[in-house]
């Protein structure tokens, strides 16, 4: 009888694990695939490209629809400071967010850090928090960051 009782417990655990895995898979399928390092780099390069109209960049930053011209101001500030951002890696947090390791160069100074991206309306965007940190560093203001 012990053996039967033990088998029942094992089956319950297996069923629970399967249910948890299915739930996690279903939640992950609600988000677009996490972009590659190259895709994120292209996204940031586009955001900082002054020749790309602001209207084409709104989908690159969370909350940018509240201040579409902001991204061009940030791009101009980055150009003036001779700043570049290079994506080093990307980590899927499996909850609609991803964290990217970055290298930031301003003139001769290079530092590393992380930025967050969020899946919103089927698109990956730079998080509002990170966008507002860039705005603050550039000495700019935006209603997005109020």
């Amino acid at each position: 009888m012990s053996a039967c009782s033990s088998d029942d417990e094992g089956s319950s655990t297996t069923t629970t694990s399967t249910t948890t895995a299915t739930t996690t898979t279903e939640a992950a399928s609600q988000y677009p695939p996490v972009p590659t390092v190259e895709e994120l780099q292209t996204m940031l390069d586009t955001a900082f490209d002054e020749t790309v109209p602001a209207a084409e960049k709104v989908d690159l930053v969370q909350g940018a629809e509240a201040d579409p011209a902001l991204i061009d101001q940030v791009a101009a500030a980055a150009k003036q400071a001779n700043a570049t951002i290079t994506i080093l890696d990307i980590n899927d947090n499996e909850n609609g967010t991803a964290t990217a390791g970055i290298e930031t160069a301003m003139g001769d100074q290079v530092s590393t850090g992380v930025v967050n991206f969020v899946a919103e309306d089927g698109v990956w965007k730079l998080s509002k928090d990170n966008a507002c940190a860039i705005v603050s560093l550039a000495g700019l203001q935006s209603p997005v960051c109020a």
Side-chain angles (χ1 to χ4, degrees), residues 12-95:
S12 286
T13 303
T14 303
T15 303
T16 303
S17 296
T18 304
T19 303
T20 303
T22 302
T23 303
T24 302
T25 303
E26 287 172 6
S29 69
Q30 295 173 1
Y31 307 114
V34 172
T36 64
V37 168
E38 293 79 15
E39 290 168 334
L40 285 179
Q41 188 65 55
T42 298
M43 188 172 106
L44 283 181
D45 292 345
T46 301
F48 288 116
D49 185 342
E50 293 177 297
T51 65
V52 177
E56 294 179 24
K57 300 177 189 180
V58 171
D59 281 343
L60 301 177
V61 179
Q62 183 184 32
E65 59 280 350
D67 188 4
L70 176 65
I71 193 102
D72 283 339
Q73 293 176 18
V74 172
K79 184 176 180 179
Q80 184 177 4
N82 195 27
T84 59
I85 298 175
T86 303
I87 302 290
L88 302 174
D89 57 36
I90 184 74
N91 181 47
D92 182 356
N93 298 322
E94 298 182 8
N95 63 357

Side-chain angles (χ1 to χ4, degrees), residues 111-130:
S111 61
T112 58
V114 295
V115 293
N116 297 304
F117 292 85
V118 296
E120 188 175 84
D121 301 323
V123 179
W124 286 95
K125 301 178 180 188
L126 180 64
S127 77
K128 179 181 170 182
D129 290 343
N130 284 130

